[in-house]
Amino acid sequence: MRLLSSLLLAGLLAGGLTTAQAQTAPASFKTDSLTLRKIYDEALLRGQSYENLRYLCEKIGGRLAGSPQAAQAVAWGKLTMEKAGCFDKVYLQECQVPHWVRGAKEKGEIVGNKGKRISVAVCALGGSVGTGGKLRAGVVEVKSLAEFKALPDAAVRGKFIFFNRPFDDALIEPGAAYGGAGDQRRSGPAEAGRRGAVGALVRSLTSAHDNYPHTGATAYGDTPTKVPGAALSTMAADQLSQLLKADPSLQFELEMSCQTLPDVTSYNVVGEVRGSKYPDQFITVGGHLDSWDLAQGAHDDGTGIVQSIEAVRLLKAAGLRPERTVRAVLFMNEENGTRGGNKYADLAKQNNETHVAAIESDGGGFTPRGFNVESTPAVFKKVAAWAPLLAPYHADKLTPGHSGTDIEPLVAAVHPTALFGYDCDSQRYFDLHHTAADTFDKVNRRELELGGASMAALIYLLAKYNLQ
Amino acid sequence: MRLLSSLLLAGLLAGGLTTAQAQTAPASFKTDSLTLRKIYDEALLRGQSYENLRYLCEKIGGRLAGSPQAAQAVAWGKLTMEKAGCFDKVYLQECQVPHWVRGAKEKGEIVGNKGKRISVAVCALGGSVGTGGKLRAGVVEVKSLAEFKALPDAAVRGKFIFFNRPFDDALIEPGAAYGGAGDQRRSGPAEAGRRGAVGALVRSLTSAHDNYPHTGATAYGDTPTKVPGAALSTMAADQLSQLLKADPSLQFELEMSCQTLPDVTSYNVVGEVRGSKYPDQFITVGGHLDSWDLAQGAHDDGTGIVQSIEAVRLLKAAGLRPERTVRAVLFMNEENGTRGGNKYADLAKQNNETHVAAIESDGGGFTPRGFNVESTPAVFKKVAAWAPLLAPYHADKLTPGHSGTDIEPLVAAVHPTALFGYDCDSQRYFDLHHTAADTFDKVNRRELELGGASMAALIYLLAKYNLQ
């Protein structure tokens, strides 16, 4: 692209309401429009979230609940909030969290009937039991839990069940494909153990064709027999599937020394700005401080964390004091327990708090699209009226939909008026999700800062206007 | 992010019109909606553009007009169109193109007054004259052409003029910042030479803070004295600026062996599908086949090229024969001459062709947002009515605005009814633009394929409906 097109665009896209929008919008929208521009200016010109994320990713790194790194992240979160200079108080909320550790041994090999061994990329699923030494067995491939359930007991007993359902690439949202294929990871090992299989091998939950295995939580529920569950990279899964076609009697050898240790004390980190008019009405903004252990947890969910702190800082830097109380919350243990989210909701209920709204950012730090909204249709209509204010920033897609795992427990506990999930460009998220590739260098500074500014803009509007 | 949110979203985002949209839309929209879904399915499940791009980037690479690689790219383009199996005919359009070569020597050093030398990242601007050996002089820093023009002759004579205007990061569109800062690259060397300076050093046109110098065309116009122009990486520019503050008498030494050779014969590559009802009405879709020489020209504009071929293939694969004639055009020499774009328009005029519409993709292969539209307000209104059809794919942002450099000459030549510029997520484009970092690995498969599908969808609608 050369210069001319950009010159012509410059005038059109400098931000602010269009003339037509300004004419039809309520009078207060003009003030709001100027306020939002201040927020985005601060984010883009003097944003702090990118450098905060660099520290979290590169100095602390992967921080699964219960790990020493998670404890470091709690201390870092508290300090970072204090240094942001925008909170009236910063404090911790204690909770007990599960403590699963990967262990040093993690190896998978395809073993041919002539003893030929091919090492493939595997990782333990979070929460899996270990193999107790080397575990070797034949492999039965299925594409779904239903297909597995239809197999006779004799076919599955003593085998590895290889759940090889790929993402449905035709879906526009990779998150929808994740939803569709995810049961094999979540329930595959439990179902395999229930029927006498020795373990589960699960195709990584991604559209990407590469050699990263994707971890993530698996749950045994009330299964009497817990068998190990491992993720295979998509390349490894394709290779195993192909070799199985040629030799259905091949074996797989898995060795994993992962284990679950006793629960550990950990914390949510909370920063609070007291509302100027309605201090007893709360607006929460948050992401999750824990991450899987394989990488730096950059997009999942370091970006949500630093955006949540930044959103509150942007309000202050733009000279705004919210009329309602705003809390930034760094939730602990989203990935394998939601103990932090549950604790936050429990305390809110216990303290009889009135929660107006909550926003969660846990879909990566990519270019904003807008927000998913959980509310009544009447409340949604009020929120949707804000779209023109967000349009200059391409953050005006307001869609009824799910908000987030950590703020969801608030619904039953304190019945907030509306919950919001930050919605951003979703195409790359599952390339990185729960893998060693989820690192700081995958985050673009401007995309991240635009997200934090969009969250700040929504908080500003929520703190000013009565949604009910 | 865990599983629950995605499961809930799956239902909402599976594509197609919402119930409300379907109820208010014209009856034909239902058919159109299903047709678009077929197009996107083909792209996402069996898309070919990503592998085509891999070949172009990794086997041919940088392909500036006049270079042997540009000739290879022409042959590749013709073959790729023929292999796509969707065109009735594939042919070349001859044009003469400029032939500028970078040369082997390209070096910049800051020289302190005690002789200390610091090597910095520089590259010649496209079209620049060489230095004829080592060129050493003092440096005068300015932030704009206006500031330069206000300086007395004595201050600039015999110096390097260091144009150090940064991107305006507050602008939401990096393209607008490019527009704002771009005159220093385009005209800086010409203006410097006009006033007796020995050369121009230009801050790279990007928001990124890294060590990649960004090349791009500079033009001397009728300047009697041509002096060399070089881009400095933003890190180099910041370093030079800082050192100048400490020591205004420091010098810069530049050595570049670039030169302009005689014009060369080259070609646009054109693939054509004859319209079933209105074969004499043309719809053009294209990108530019040439790229700067420093890298692989992946996002600029390999993605536009492979999307243009793919858009036509998708139509055929979805079982559609367009009612109007569709031409995919791989334009030659967009980067430093637009000779291909001009030739295409000249031939269209010469042949008295009726051009209904043209689409250009030259803003990178990122996630779709929609299209910029150049047309009368009445035509724009018709186009805007298609937004609900594109909404399930997040490609529904239809905005009056500039289309593209290569299709623009059609306006004066044959007065097309509407021109379109493919509009996609723009935040990362200028991190890579015209640098060694613009490589294949920066392109995401799904983002690329969604773009090609969006272009195919627009062609389908343009070929079916009368815009006038």
Side-chain angles (χ1 to χ4, degrees), chain B residues 330-385:
Chain B
L330 319 185
F331 292 99
M332 180 49 67
N333 183 225
E334 190 268 355
E335 291 292 4
N336 58 340
T338 326
R339 301 273 185 92
N342 287 328
K343 171 59 76 169
Y344 183 72
D346 288 349
L347 289 172
K349 186 175 182 179
Q350 201 174 303
N351 296 327
N352 261 321
E353 291 173 357
T354 302
H355 281 252
V356 177
I359 308 168
E360 183 164 332
S361 169
D362 186 19
F366 304 101
T367 296
R369 294 198 296 211
F371 296 91
N372 297 324
V373 189
E374 272 185 57
S375 71
T376 62
V379 169
F380 178 76
K381 206 176 156 191
K382 288 189 188 177
V383 171

Side-chain angles (χ1 to χ4, degrees), chain A residues 26-304:
Chain A
S28 64
F29 266 33
K30 198 177 161 187
T31 318
D32 294 337
S33 170
L34 295 172
T35 301
L36 262 57
R37 188 61 254 192
K38 270 194 214 169
I39 289 171
Y40 281 90
D41 278 354
E42 174 68 21
L44 290 167
L45 298 175
R46 292 170 293 278
Q48 298 183 359
S49 62
Y50 189 65
E51 291 306 319
N52 282 340
L53 183 66
R54 187 196 299 275
Y55 191 97
L56 177 65
C57 289
E58 296 187 348
K59 301 292 182 187
I60 298 176
R63 47 197 178 277
L64 192 59
S67 68
Q69 291 88 343
Q72 286 172 38
V74 167
W76 166 88
K78 187 162 181 288
L79 189 64
T80 302
M81 281 186 165
E82 285 162 353
K83 280 177 20 189
C86 56
F87 296 101
D88 297 325
K89 57 177 178 175
V90 177
Y91 55 96
L92 305 181
Q93 289 179 333
E94 188 178 312
C95 57
Q96 297 300 305
V97 297
H99 188 196
W100 178 83
V101 291
R102 187 167 297 279
K105 285 186 184 155
E106 199 164 66
K107 198 177 170 189
E109 286 185 333
I110 300 168
V111 186
N113 58 16
K114 286 173 188 157
K116 191 187 170 192
R117 289 169 170 266
I118 301 171
S119 187
V120 294
V122 299
C123 72
L125 294 178
S128 173
V129 296
T131 54
K134 290 177 182 174
L135 178 62
R136 187 163 154 181
V139 179
V140 176
E141 178 178 350
V142 294
K143 286 288 165 62
S144 66
L145 286 170
E147 186 184 337
F148 169 64
K149 283 174 188 167
L151 289 176
D153 284 353
V156 303
R157 205 172 298 131
K159 305 280 185 164
F160 278 110
I161 309 304
F162 172 30
F163 294 96
N164 193 27
R165 181 174 181 187
F167 260 32
D168 180 355
D169 269 344
L171 295 170
I172 304 305
E173 296 300 321
Y178 180 63
D183 56 359
Q184 60 192 358
R185 186 197 80 202
R186 202 178 49 223
S187 311
E191 296 302 323
R194 212 184 291 279
R195 300 204 40 216
V198 301
L201 306 171
V202 182
R203 182 186 184 88
S204 282
L205 299 178
T206 181
S207 275
H209 191 249
D210 61 26
N211 223 4
Y212 291 106
H214 293 228
T215 190
T218 197
Y220 291 109
D222 58 357
T223 317
T225 319
K226 296 181 180 179
V227 300
L232 271 64
S233 72
T234 50
M235 280 172 73
D238 286 347
Q239 186 176 22
L240 178 56
S241 181
Q242 201 172 359
L243 291 172
L244 270 173
K245 281 187 187 70
D247 176 12
S249 70
L250 66 71
Q251 294 198 304
F252 197 89
E253 188 173 283
L254 185 67
E255 185 174 17
M256 305 193 307
S257 57
C258 48
Q259 58 179 318
T260 299
L261 303 174
D263 283 4
V264 166
T265 300
S266 188
Y267 308 90
N268 296 327
V269 187
V270 185
E272 200 170 299
V273 183
R274 203 173 154 79
S276 61
K277 266 198 189 171
Y278 314 102
D280 295 335
Q281 297 185 17
F282 291 91
I283 296 165
T284 301
V285 59
H288 64 87
L289 189 51
D290 61 310
S291 82
W292 283 104
D293 56 330
L294 293 174
Q296 298 176 351
H299 278 290
D300 188 13
D301 183 28
T303 52

